[in-house]
């Protein structure tokens, strides 16, 4: 199908630059008086500002293909058979629109590789499990090998890091704005969520060379 035939249901859903700018604006306003409690997290995100434009710039140059993608491929949007543990279907299709497959893969890497819950307060429990990342990469590349481009393959590890960072930005923005978007169940819930995402970013950064080599090796193998 032609991506231009699909309506953009949520404009700028994965526009990481706009997400970043909104966070900076929320920090400037500090409307809920919460800035003092998250300066460390805010500074970590500021140090990664250069990275928020990487995929956007490649898309602007036409170097990344525009495809029809799900855009919200977290693990709980996959329905699983309780008896066989096999995937039955993908749900929550309201976010299907034009985009990059890197956004889909990035959210899979974010939600499928960490053993911790999204709001885990013990950050030592949050890390990227390489065996899980390898399984995701192998399954994904075996399926998309006939149309994915070498540039997209090389950016798979970075996409996991970027979407994790973007999600952390969204949680921290909502925390600073007074918890107006994500539902919360406890005090500082969105702050804990943001911290978990940023801990996962750190873990991915530490393992990035291994992740990049793995993607290259697996792609070579499935294309052979």
């Amino acid at each position: 199908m032609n991506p231009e035939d699909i309506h953009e249901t949520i404009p700028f859903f994965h526009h990481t630059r706009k997400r970043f700018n909104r966070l900076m604006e929320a920090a400037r306003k500090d409307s809920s008086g919460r800035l003092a409690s998250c300066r460390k997290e805010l500074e970590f995100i500021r140090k990664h500002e250069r990275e928020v434009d990487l995929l956007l710039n490649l898309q602007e140059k036409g170097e990344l293909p525009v495809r029809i993608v799900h855009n919200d491929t977290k693990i709980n949007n996959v329905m699983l058979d309780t008896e066989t543990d096999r995937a039955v279907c993908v749900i929550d299709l309201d976010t299907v629109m034009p985009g990059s497959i890197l956004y889909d893969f990035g959210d899979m890497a974010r939600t499928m590789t960490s053993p911790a819950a999204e709001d885990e307060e013990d950050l030592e429990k949050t890390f990227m499990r390489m065996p899980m990342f390898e399984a995701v990469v192998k399954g994904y590349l075996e399926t998309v090998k006939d149309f994915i481009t070498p540039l997209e393959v090389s950016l798979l590890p970075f996409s996991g890091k970027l979407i994790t960072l973007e999600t952390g930005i969204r949680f921290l923005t909502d925390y600073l704005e007074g918890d107006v978007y994500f539902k919360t169940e406890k005090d500082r819930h969105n702050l804990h969520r943001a911290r978990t995402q940023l801990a996962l970013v750190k873990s991915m950064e530490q393992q990035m060379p291994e992740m990049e080599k793995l993607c290259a090796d697996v792609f070579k193998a499935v294309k052979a």
Side-chain angles (χ1 to χ4, degrees):
M1 294 178 65
N2 185 346
E4 294 181 1
D5 293 337
I6 301 295
H7 179 66
E8 187 177 19
T9 55
I10 308 176
F12 308 116
F13 186 66
H14 280 305
H15 198 293
T16 320
R17 166 53 64 183
K18 290 185 180 294
R19 299 286 191 186
F20 180 90
N21 290 347
R22 179 170 175 176
L23 172 60
M24 294 304 117
E25 181 64 12
R28 185 188 67 79
K29 291 181 178 179
D30 193 20
S31 59
S32 298
R34 294 176 167 181
L35 180 60
S37 61
C38 61
R39 291 188 184 278
K40 181 179 178 181
E41 290 74 23
L42 191 64
E43 182 58 29
F44 178 85
I45 292 171
R46 278 200 180 108
K47 290 181 178 178
H48 288 74
E49 179 178 4
R50 182 180 60 83
E51 298 178 357
V52 306
D53 296 314
L54 196 152
L55 296 188
L56 295 171
N57 289 342
L58 290 173
Q59 288 175 307
E60 182 69 23
K61 296 176 183 177
E63 296 181 27
L64 284 180
V66 176
R67 308 184 190 277
I68 298 174
V69 292
H70 186 284
N71 282 298
D72 195 20
T73 49
K74 53 191 178 185
I75 193 169
N76 47 319
N77 277 341
V78 179
M79 188 174 290
L80 303 174
D81 187 308
T82 56
E83 295 184 2
T84 65
D85 287 335
R86 295 186 65 84
V88 177
C89 64
V90 178
I91 61 173
D92 238 5
L93 303 180
D94 59 301
T95 55
V96 172
M97 51 188 166
S100 169
I101 58 174
L102 293 172
Y103 297 138
D104 275 3
F105 181 87
D107 216 15
M108 287 194 295
R110 178 182 75 86
T111 59
M112 296 180 184
T113 64
S114 174
E118 199 169 60
D119 56 357
E120 175 60 58
E121 295 184 39
D122 183 355
L123 297 183
E124 291 187 2
K125 294 181 180 180
T126 299
F127 55 91
M128 203 279 297
R129 294 173 291 178
M130 186 58 70
M132 291 299 293
F133 181 75
E134 182 176 359
V136 173
V137 169
K138 286 182 176 179
Y140 190 72
L141 287 181
E142 180 63 39
T143 303
V144 303
K145 62 184 178 183
D146 292 332
F147 66 81
I148 193 171
T149 69
L151 177 59
E152 288 172 317
V153 173
S154 71
L155 289 168
L156 290 177
F158 173 78
S159 72
K161 174 184 170 183
L162 181 69
I163 295 302
T164 306
L165 179 67
E166 178 190 287
T167 307
I169 288 173
R170 293 179 64 193
F171 282 140
L172 194 60
T173 300
D174 201 33
Y175 174 71
L176 286 170
E177 292 179 343
D179 305 321
V180 295
Y181 183 79
F182 296 106
K183 294 181 180 179
T184 58
E185 300 174 357
K186 57 184 177 181
D187 184 45
R188 298 188 175 188
H189 200 170
N190 278 320
L191 178 57
H192 293 309
R193 287 166 167 159
R195 286 172 173 169
T196 300
Q197 299 306 302
L198 301 185
L200 187 55
V201 169
K202 292 177 183 178
S203 179
M204 289 181 176
E205 287 180 333
Q206 293 167 356
Q207 301 179 77
M208 191 58 62
E210 187 177 353
M211 293 166 69
E212 292 173 342
K213 183 178 185 303
L214 172 68
C215 288
D217 291 346
V218 171
F219 186 56
K220 182 178 180 180
V222 299
K223 292 292 284 185

